[in-house]
């Protein structure tokens, strides 16, 4: 009888431990859409993609893993990358369907300074503004429009469902929602 309880306990405990992955496999896990941490939506001719970036992932990508000072600098926020691209083309999305030459500069201005006001996150019962925002200008070298987003980190809701809401006022996508579930966040492997 004790043996059965022991075996059952071992199985239960081992099923509750997080998966552990080495550097390359960890990065692949985070960047794989099946993890639930990378989500894409195709609306019209535009692909919208959101990537959640855990701290260990950011530190690995910056070649700063193990740097406690850098980890402390970025630990108060939760980070994402947002990308807009054309589905069937490698044309620069910012230059697509312009009605006048001035519209390009209006788009760049809005993407640089206005879009941040049209992004928020619902986390549990909290609605969080996008606190850090950067439009990564590619100056025609990439067909995508990439943005780095950061929201305050809530200790109470760290593993709560996260619903990122974006109002697309330029490309006709309307209100776009990306949900990262609590289960997906809890399933992030440990880095070894």
């Amino acid at each position: 009888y004790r043996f059965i309880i022991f075996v059952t306990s071992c199985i239960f405990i081992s099923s509750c431990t997080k998966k552990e992955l080495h550097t390359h496999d960890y990065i692949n896990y985070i960047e794989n859409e099946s993890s639930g941490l990378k989500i894409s939506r195709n609306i019209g001719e535009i692909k919208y993609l959101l990537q959640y970036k855990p701290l260990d992932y950011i530190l690995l990508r910056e070649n700063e893993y193990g740097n406690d000072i850098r980890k402390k600098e970025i630990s108060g926020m939760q980070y994402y990358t947002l990308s807009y691209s054309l589905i069937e083309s490698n044309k620069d999305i910012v230059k697509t369907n312009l009605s006048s030459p001035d519209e390009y500069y209006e788009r760049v201005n809005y993407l640089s300074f206005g879009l941040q006001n049209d992004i928020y996150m619902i986390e549990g019962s909290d609605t969080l503004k996008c606190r850090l925002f950067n439009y990564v200008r590619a100056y025609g070298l990439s067909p995508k429009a990439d943005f780095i987003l950061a929201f305050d980190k809530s200790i109470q809701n760290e593993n709560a469902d996260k619903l990122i809401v974006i109002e697309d006022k330029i490309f006709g996508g309307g209100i776009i929602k990306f949900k990262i579930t609590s289960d997906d966040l809890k399933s992030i492997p440990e880095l070894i």
Side-chain angles (χ1 to χ4, degrees), residues 155-170:
I155 296 171
Q156 302 167 357
N157 295 324
E158 188 170 351
N159 286 323
D161 288 350
K162 298 172 190 318
L163 182 68
I164 292 84
V165 181
I166 299 153
E167 185 177 353
D168 175 15
K169 293 182 176 177
I170 292 183

Side-chain angles (χ1 to χ4, degrees), residues 21-85:
L21 295 175
H22 291 283
T23 305
H24 181 72
D25 294 328
Y26 179 85
I27 289 172
N28 286 340
Y29 177 89
I30 300 298
E31 293 177 353
N32 191 320
E33 285 196 44
S34 67
S35 71
L37 305 174
K38 182 177 185 178
I39 305 164
S40 64
R41 301 269 183 274
N42 293 343
I43 301 173
E45 61 183 13
I46 311 295
K47 178 178 184 174
Y48 302 88
L49 187 132
L50 183 81
Q51 171 72 64
Y52 172 68
K53 301 188 302 188
L55 290 182
D56 285 341
Y57 173 82
I58 294 169
L59 294 169
L60 284 171
R61 285 298 194 188
E62 292 179 349
N63 290 321
E64 293 286 342
Y65 189 75
N67 182 339
D68 292 335
I69 294 170
R70 179 66 179 142
K71 187 171 188 172
K72 186 176 179 183
E73 287 174 351
I74 65 173
S75 65
M77 306 288 280
Q78 44 188 318
Y79 298 90
Y80 300 82
T81 298
L82 173 67
S83 294
Y84 293 6
S85 61

Side-chain angles (χ1 to χ4, degrees), residues 86-101:
L86 294 170
I87 296 171
E88 298 289 329
S89 172
N90 278 332
K91 292 182 182 177
D92 184 348
I93 189 167
V94 181
K95 294 180 179 178
T96 300
N97 300 329
L98 295 173
S99 60
S100 72

